[in-house]
Amino acid sequence: MLYQICHGAVSFADEEILHDINFEIRNTEKIAVVGRNGCGKTTLLKLIHGDVELDKRDSDEDIFIAKAGNPQIGYLKQIAFEDPSVTLEQEVRKVFASMERRKKELEAAAQALETDYSEEAVTRYTAMEEKFKEDGGYYFEKEYDVIIRKFGFSEEERKKPLSEFSGGQQTKIAFIKLLLSKPDILLLDEPTNHLDITTIEWLETYLKNYPKAVVVVSHDRMFLDNVVDVVYEIEYGTATRYPGNYSNFMERKKENYNKMMKDYNAQQKEIARLQRIVDRFKNKPTKVSMAHSKEKAIEHMVKLEAPDRFDTRTFHANFQPDKETGNDVLLVTNLAIGYDHPLSTVSFDLKKGEKLGILGGNGLGKSTLLKTLVGQLAPLAGEYNFGTNVQIGYFDQQMAMYSSRKTVLDDFWDEFPNLTETEARNALGAFMFTGEDVFKNIDMLSGGEKVRLALCKILKRRPNVLVLDEPTNHMDIVGKETLESMLKDFSGTLIFVSHDRYFVRKVANRLLVFEDGTTHLYQFGYEEYQEKLDREAAESGDDYRKNPAALGGAISQNGGIQQSKGTQETGGKKAYYNPGKERSKIEKKVKKAEEELAVKEEKLDALKQELLRPEYQSSYSKLTEIQGEIDALEEEIMADMENWEALSQQLEELEG
């Protein structure tokens, strides 16, 4: 065990964020922490890193954090460069200060061997060299070069001072430093944000082969499928461990819930069955003891609780356009996009109802294209023309960074002043701004909440052409799945940029791919695009592309064929099974069994009364005869009761 939290809890301002958390990191595990926005995922990373402390609690349970040795824990929590005037290369190479020193010491030891041939000197040099080799001393320069290139920095940029890089680029530089420092436990919070698909694919392979432990918080489902082998879900303040990747976690979670619900329902049925026996026979003198035993069985039963429902709260709204466009929505002809110089030249057309996903590396012009199409940037050359009745709804990825002292309600009202307060609050409520949430200042909202507010304002206008730039950034997985579903059902036309491969795969039916100043239009979605790349890789012998871990591959899904509830296989032929008809038959049998039981119980009561008649008290033979009839009838009643119980259970199963 490398690291362990036992029964941990964390609170902020008297609000408990994490409750009774049990969490383990074993050796080189690759662990995902998943859950809804605000559930405490980042808090857990901060707890592991030591930025927050466990609550002090009066409890009989052991509450502690345990570590094996003193593991180095690396966490990219904020960008903090001491001197922004140093170059990218100088800053990153600070990671290798110790390795550079050891390299010089090794060179000095090797030089000393030219004059000192003693066994002691040779032994010392051999030990130093083996340790240097073990710690990667012979390939750290190569690794530095590869990672710098994979994160998109050119030879020229390595010489630029840190102050000349954007905030996103500085985040990448800090990330590079973290990877190269190789901590024993690597903590990553949304590492794929702001990375292009090529870099994400490389990072997947790097982390999968990372020789130490990784704990990652991410909403990128394909990334999690390709990297992790353990998933912890935080829900309702506690953490549950699932072995396997994200897809396996979803299957296991569903299975666990179904099993718990099945066990709960089975117990409830058993309690109901026992209670029926108690109710039926508790006033029967000869069955009191049996009824009492069944009552005791109910009392002593360890009662199961119904499992908590999945936390599936999400936004919803009328996503359909106010009016329809013509069939020809957009024609782009030799459109040169950029600021002071062209980043790319683009040509494509878009028909009504098509959903165009735009892919490509950072800085190639994807967002620039969208800004040009919505009129925020002038084209450098070429032209674009929208068709008739086009109403555009534009989502900019910077909307999640929007800052304001206004409340959510006032901000929304500023754009829709003609709405009543009830109408405004209903619109906001559809995007999960309910109750006092509407009085929060915009500055207090999370990134995910700001995205929801932006989408709420866009969709209130009911546009027929949506232009979306990274709409899923800052969204949790349930939010992404909701947006996927809404966009798939959207009857208008969609143009969107996304680095979330799963999202692209689910939504896009056409692709526009940016590659070094050129663009390629494909009349198919992401899955077919991946297959094309795989074929090309196989033909060219590209091992990287052939490696499924590098590519990402398709999300593994249960493709098994489920047998229809309406048919059963009988001897190779389909026999059609009518549940309604079967239920009716059993209901009749239950009714008949109850009627027969009632007749026999009346007869039994009559025989017992007859046994008490004064004229029979002196007739031993008559008493023996009546008692024999009573015993035989009681046996019949017990057999009939068992049959009635079995039929009743069948009926309950059909109704359930």
Side-chain angles (χ1 to χ4, degrees):
M1 192 72 62
L2 186 61
Y3 182 96
Q4 183 182 14
I5 301 171
C6 187
H7 298 300
V10 177
S11 302
F12 293 120
D14 297 327
E15 181 183 356
E16 193 171 59
I17 308 299
L18 300 176
H19 168 74
D20 197 27
I21 290 288
N22 293 296
F23 184 88
E24 297 176 351
I25 304 173
R26 303 171 188 171
N27 302 322
T28 61
E29 283 183 333
K30 310 298 182 285
I31 299 172
V33 180
V34 303
R36 302 301 305 272
N37 282 345
C39 72
K41 300 186 296 294
T42 298
T43 301
L44 178 60
L45 294 191
K46 289 180 177 179
L47 178 63
I48 297 169
H49 190 249
D51 298 330
V52 299
E53 295 182 352
L54 291 177
D55 290 349
K56 304 280 191 246
R57 308 178 92 182
D58 295 327
S59 173
D60 295 333
E61 295 177 319
D62 289 333
I63 301 169
F64 62 82
I65 291 176
K67 304 175 188 178
N70 187 27
Q72 182 190 358
I73 301 174
Y75 180 37
L76 184 61
K77 54 182 177 177
Q78 61 184 16
I79 305 169
F81 298 127
E82 295 178 0
D83 184 2
S85 67
V86 304
T87 66
L88 182 160
E89 187 167 34
Q90 289 171 328
E91 181 65 29
V92 173
R93 291 189 71 89
K94 289 178 181 179
V95 173
F96 301 127
S98 172
M99 198 66 76
E100 295 276 14
R101 176 181 52 76
R102 290 170 61 186
K103 184 180 178 182
K104 289 179 180 177
E105 290 173 352
L106 189 63
E107 289 171 351
Q111 194 172 7
L113 285 177
E114 294 178 6
T115 55
D116 184 358
Y117 301 106
S118 66
E119 185 178 343
E120 184 183 348
V122 172
T123 302
R124 184 171 64 251
Y125 173 81
T126 302
M128 288 174 63
E129 197 269 342
E130 285 180 356
K131 182 62 175 163
F132 185 73
K133 180 181 179 181
E134 183 184 321
D135 293 342
Y138 288 117
Y139 59 83
F140 75 88
E141 293 279 5
K142 178 66 176 176
E143 189 171 14
Y144 158 79
D145 184 64
V146 168
I147 291 181
I148 286 286
R149 285 190 291 106
K150 290 297 182 181
F151 274 80
F153 293 104
S154 65
E155 289 285 348
E156 294 75 23
E157 287 177 317
R158 300 184 193 192
K159 310 301 180 186
K160 287 173 57 177
L162 296 173
S163 57
E164 293 187 19
F165 291 101
S166 68
Q169 288 174 312
Q170 290 190 19
T171 300
K172 282 187 180 181
I173 295 167
F175 192 11
I176 290 168
K177 285 183 65 180
L178 179 63
L179 292 179
L180 290 172
S181 68
K182 286 192 169 45
D184 300 306
I185 301 174
L186 179 61
L187 306 178
L188 301 176
D189 197 349
E190 296 292 352
T192 63
N193 278 2
H194 313 299
L195 299 181
D196 60 44
I197 290 177
T198 302
T199 307
I200 292 171
E201 290 174 350
W202 172 85
L203 183 62
E204 286 172 352
T205 307
Y206 182 90
L207 294 177
K208 191 70 179 174
N209 297 307
Y210 187 73
K212 301 174 182 180
V214 178
V215 182
V216 58
V217 169
S218 178
H219 295 134
D220 187 328
R221 292 155 290 179
M222 194 172 286
F223 176 82
L224 295 179
D225 260 355
N226 292 335
V227 172
V228 307
D229 45 42
V230 174
V231 174
Y232 275 94
E233 183 192 31
I234 299 180
E235 193 173 31
Y236 305 112
T238 63
T240 306
R241 181 183 173 100
Y242 298 85
N245 63 9
Y246 180 79
S247 290
N248 185 72
F249 147 69
M250 290 300 295
E251 283 295 321
R252 291 285 296 273
K253 180 178 178 178
K254 208 173 293 180
E255 287 172 6
N256 287 354
Y257 175 83
N258 290 339
K259 183 181 182 304
M260 290 170 69
M261 183 56 74
K262 184 179 179 181
D263 291 345
Y264 171 76
N265 288 335
Q267 187 180 71
Q268 291 299 305
K269 286 180 179 179
E270 177 63 10
I271 291 171
R273 184 186 72 84
L274 294 173
Q275 190 62 50
R276 282 197 306 270
I277 296 173
V278 172
D279 294 341
R280 191 174 189 90
F281 296 106
K282 63 183 178 182
N283 296 319
K284 305 287 183 182
T286 59
K287 301 292 185 296
V288 168
S289 60
M290 182 188 67
H292 185 66
S293 69
K294 302 297 186 188
E295 201 167 33
K296 287 292 184 184
I298 296 173
E299 289 175 7
H300 293 145
M301 199 177 287
V302 179
K303 304 296 191 300
L304 301 176
E305 293 185 7
D308 291 325
R309 288 272 177 195
F310 297 170
D311 184 2
T312 56
R313 294 168 297 154
T314 190
F315 55 88
H316 59 89
N318 185 350
F319 228 59
Q320 298 310 322
D322 187 45
K323 60 182 178 182
E324 294 187 357
T325 64
N327 190 52
D328 296 315
V329 173
L330 175 62
L331 178 63
V332 178
T333 308
N334 297 323
L335 184 67
I337 57 171
Y339 292 85
D340 52 356
H341 68 278
L343 293 171
S344 193
T345 300
V346 187
S347 295
F348 67 92
D349 69 294
L350 208 56
K351 303 293 185 184
K352 176 186 172 183
E354 289 184 329
K355 296 175 174 62
L356 179 69
I358 302 176
L359 307 177
N362 289 333
L364 298 181
K366 303 185 302 297
S367 296
T368 306
L369 171 62
L370 299 192
K371 285 182 167 62
T372 304
L373 293 177
V374 299
Q376 292 189 1
L377 284 177
L380 301 181
E383 60 180 6
Y384 66 95
N385 294 288
F386 284 100
T388 58
N389 294 331
V390 167
Q391 296 176 327
I392 296 175
Y394 174 53
F395 176 89
D396 182 350
Q397 60 179 293
Q398 296 304 315
M399 287 179 173
M401 308 303 291
Y402 174 52
S403 181
S404 173
R405 294 289 189 95
K406 294 178 184 176
T407 66
V408 170
L409 182 59
D410 287 339
D411 182 79
F412 186 78
W413 239 337
D414 284 349
E415 292 205 28
F416 303 96
N418 296 326
L419 296 180
T420 66
E421 181 174 353
T422 299
E423 290 170 334
R425 295 191 68 159
N426 284 342
L428 289 166
F431 281 79
M432 300 173 64
F433 295 103
T434 58
E436 295 299 308
D437 291 341
V438 301
F439 302 115
K440 284 184 181 177
N441 286 350
I442 300 294
D443 288 346
M444 296 176 61
L445 300 181
S446 68
E449 288 173 322
K450 288 179 179 179
V451 168
R452 280 194 274 115
L453 179 58
L455 288 173
C456 180
K457 290 190 284 188
I458 291 167
L459 298 176
K460 183 64 180 175
R461 303 186 188 278
R462 296 178 65 184
N464 49 33
V465 176
L466 289 173
V467 180
L468 310 179
D469 193 1
E470 296 286 2
T472 63
N473 274 359
H474 308 284
M475 270 191 185
D476 60 26
I477 291 173
V478 173
K480 288 183 179 185
E481 290 172 345
T482 302
L483 189 59
E484 285 166 3
S485 178
M486 294 171 81
L487 291 175
K488 283 170 69 178
D489 295 338
F490 177 57
S491 63
T493 307
L494 173 64
I495 310 169
F496 71 99
V497 171
S498 180
H499 292 140
D500 188 322
R501 294 159 294 168
Y502 198 100
F503 183 79
V504 177
R505 180 172 174 256
K506 285 288 187 180
V507 176
N509 54 31
R510 296 178 75 196
L511 295 178
L512 181 67
V513 181
F514 281 69
E515 294 177 346
D516 297 326
T518 63
T519 58
H520 301 279
L521 184 66
Y522 299 99
Q523 304 295 336
F524 44 71
Y526 188 72
E527 196 163 4
E528 292 87 346
Y529 174 67
Q530 272 195 328
E531 291 172 359
K532 172 186 174 296
L533 295 180
D534 286 345
R535 285 195 304 272
E536 292 174 352
E539 291 168 3
S540 66
D542 185 350
D543 291 334
Y544 171 76
R545 178 53 66 181
K546 286 189 292 184
N547 182 348
L551 175 62
I555 296 292
S556 60
Q557 294 177 335
N558 186 357
I561 299 173
Q562 289 188 336
Q563 190 170 298
S564 169
K565 290 183 178 179
T567 64
Q568 294 178 334
E569 294 293 333
T570 56
K573 297 181 180 180
K574 287 184 179 177
Y576 289 89
Y577 170 69
N578 188 328
K581 187 176 180 180
E582 183 69 17
R583 184 166 56 250
S584 179
K585 284 169 61 179
I586 294 176
E587 283 175 346
K588 289 177 181 177
K589 289 182 179 179
V590 168
K591 187 178 179 182
K592 186 179 178 183
E594 288 177 344
E595 289 172 351
E596 289 178 353
L597 268 171
V599 170
K600 289 180 180 180
E601 284 171 355
E602 284 182 13
K603 186 178 178 181
L604 182 66
D605 288 340
L607 285 169
K608 288 179 178 180
Q609 289 300 317
E610 194 172 358
L611 197 64
L612 299 174
R613 288 172 63 176
E615 59 266 35
Y616 291 157
Q617 300 307 304
S618 59
S619 176
Y620 177 78
S621 60
K622 188 63 176 178
L623 290 174
T624 303
E625 180 188 339
I626 295 172
Q627 187 60 56
E629 290 181 39
I630 289 174
D631 292 343
L633 193 56
E634 282 184 335
E635 286 183 14
E636 285 183 32
I637 288 173
M638 290 300 295
D640 289 351
M641 190 176 71
E642 289 176 4
N643 180 53
W644 170 77
E645 281 184 49
L647 289 169
S648 298
Q649 194 163 352
Q650 287 181 44
L651 188 61
E652 286 175 2
E653 288 172 356
L654 283 173
E655 291 174 344

